[in-house]
Amino acid sequence: MDFLYIALGLVGLYFGAEWLVAGAVATARRLGISPLIASIVIVGFGTSLPELLVSVRAALTGSPGIALGNVVGSNIANILLIVGAAAVIFPISGWDRNVRRDAAVMTGSSVLLLFLVQYEIIGRVAGLVLLALLALFLFRTYRFAVASDTTPELPEDGASPVWKMTLQIAAGLLALIAGAELLIRGATELATHFGISDAVVGLTVVALGTSLPELATAIVAAVKRHSDVAIGNVTGSCIFNILCILGATGAIAPLPVPEGFATFDVPVMLAATVFFTAMLFFAPKFHRATGAAMLVAYGGYIWALV
């Protein structure tokens, strides 16, 4: 039953995020909200909702290891697994050089997280600081997009009827809530049954599960030979995971830092982030060999955990 709960939870999180984002974007168009604002705020937060709900639910139910492990594990998986898999399918090149700005923010956020986990708890003040930094990041992104006159493309679904948009949003929220509840229940019971810490479960099963949208996007983009799309997707996701997910979770329920995060897991995340950022600044492409090495590194990390 634990495995069934986990599987059903992952399905609920995946489809819940899809439905919620589709309904929210359609509603934004119907209300005349700028597609730029919709893409930055609605889509950005929408795709991070699985991580947010899982982390908050885990923190409130007394499983801080899952909450923190979800953020750290998702970032490690985003970089080493998702970018690695996309590069193996088709080498990544020709990315927008403007992504370097976001990569620098991603690296700075990772350094800040390494500092925060040196303490025994990530409290409400730290959570509020992270949320304030998220607001600054969103404002800076908005100002840059306006200055460069770039409007991200969104699905042409503005003509959707009101009942359909409402149903999508409601179904998405319900699926996300149910999925988070099932995933946490199955993960915590599984950890108890096998004597595994909730931190390890958060870093592996839960982190991989909540990264499914990013993984699916990267694989589809690579198959279509547009694998550079994965770069922006992963970069934005890593920033939101730290500033938004961890910030909101810490502000709602202070997070005790499990043993090992300060000396192993977060340093691994930071090392992967620095490598990824260096590649974006100095390398012309992610070759298949680079992608394969990243997958091996991720496998080695998982092996070290279990």
Side-chain angles (χ1 to χ4, degrees):
M1 287 300 297
D2 295 336
F3 287 106
L4 179 61
Y5 285 148
I6 291 174
L8 291 176
L10 294 178
V11 171
L13 289 173
Y14 182 80
F15 285 103
E18 290 289 318
W19 295 336
L20 181 62
V21 170
V25 171
T27 301
R29 287 186 176 277
R30 175 59 64 90
L31 296 177
I33 298 175
S34 165
L36 175 62
I37 300 299
S39 65
I40 292 175
V41 179
I42 297 176
V43 177
F45 279 102
T47 53
S48 293
L49 271 176
E51 287 91 344
L52 176 60
L53 288 180
V54 167
S55 292
V56 171
R57 185 74 181 110
L60 292 176
T61 55
S63 301
I66 289 181
L68 187 56
N70 181 31
V71 170
V72 177
S74 290
N75 278 19
I76 295 173
N78 282 345
I79 296 172
L80 297 182
L81 175 63
I82 293 174
V83 177
V88 167
I89 294 172
F90 193 80
I92 302 174
S93 62
W95 54 81
D96 188 344
R97 298 300 174 181
N98 290 324
V99 78
R100 292 172 175 173
R101 296 184 179 89
D102 294 337
V105 174
M106 176 181 63
T107 303
S109 301
S110 300
V111 172
L112 177 58
L113 180 55
L114 180 61
F115 171 77
L116 291 177
V117 296
Q118 302 304 315
Y119 297 90
E120 295 182 354
I121 189 170
I122 298 177
R124 287 189 170 89
V125 173
L128 292 174
V129 169
L130 291 174
L131 290 177
L133 292 174
L134 172 68
L136 289 175
F137 168 71
L138 290 175
F139 179 72
R140 188 216 60 148
T141 301
Y142 168 75
R143 290 292 300 272
F144 175 76
V146 171
S148 58
D149 194 26
T150 57
T151 302
E153 295 182 2
L154 293 173
E156 293 293 337
D157 51 6
S160 298
V162 174
W163 68 265
K164 182 178 180 180
M165 295 185 294
T166 304
L167 183 61
Q168 281 182 316
I169 293 174
L173 286 172
L174 289 175
L176 280 170
I177 294 170
E181 177 67 27
L182 289 171
L183 181 59
I184 293 302
R185 180 181 300 180
T188 52
E189 290 296 329
L190 190 67
T192 302
H193 180 74
F194 287 101
I196 304 172
S197 70
D198 58 357
V200 172
V201 174
L203 287 163
T204 54
V205 177
V206 177
L208 282 172
T210 55
S211 293
L212 282 178
E214 289 88 352
L215 180 59
T217 299
I219 291 177
V220 170
V223 169
K224 294 181 178 181
R225 298 195 175 186
H226 294 294
S227 53
D228 55 299
V229 173
I231 297 296
N233 184 33
V234 165
T235 304
S237 177
C238 288
I239 294 172
F240 271 99
N241 282 347
I242 296 176
L243 299 184
C244 178
I245 310 306
L246 195 57
T249 305
I252 294 172
L255 290 171
V257 178
E259 184 180 357
F261 274 79
T263 57
F264 180 61
D265 299 299
V266 176
V268 169
M269 183 199 75
L270 179 58
T273 301
V274 170
F275 167 77
F276 181 58
T277 301
M279 290 289 293
L280 294 180
F281 271 86
F282 304 112
K285 66 166 57 177
F286 286 82
H287 296 277
R288 283 194 174 92
T290 306
M294 295 170 75
L295 293 178
V296 170
Y298 184 73
Y301 170 70
I302 298 298
W303 178 83
L305 284 179
V306 300

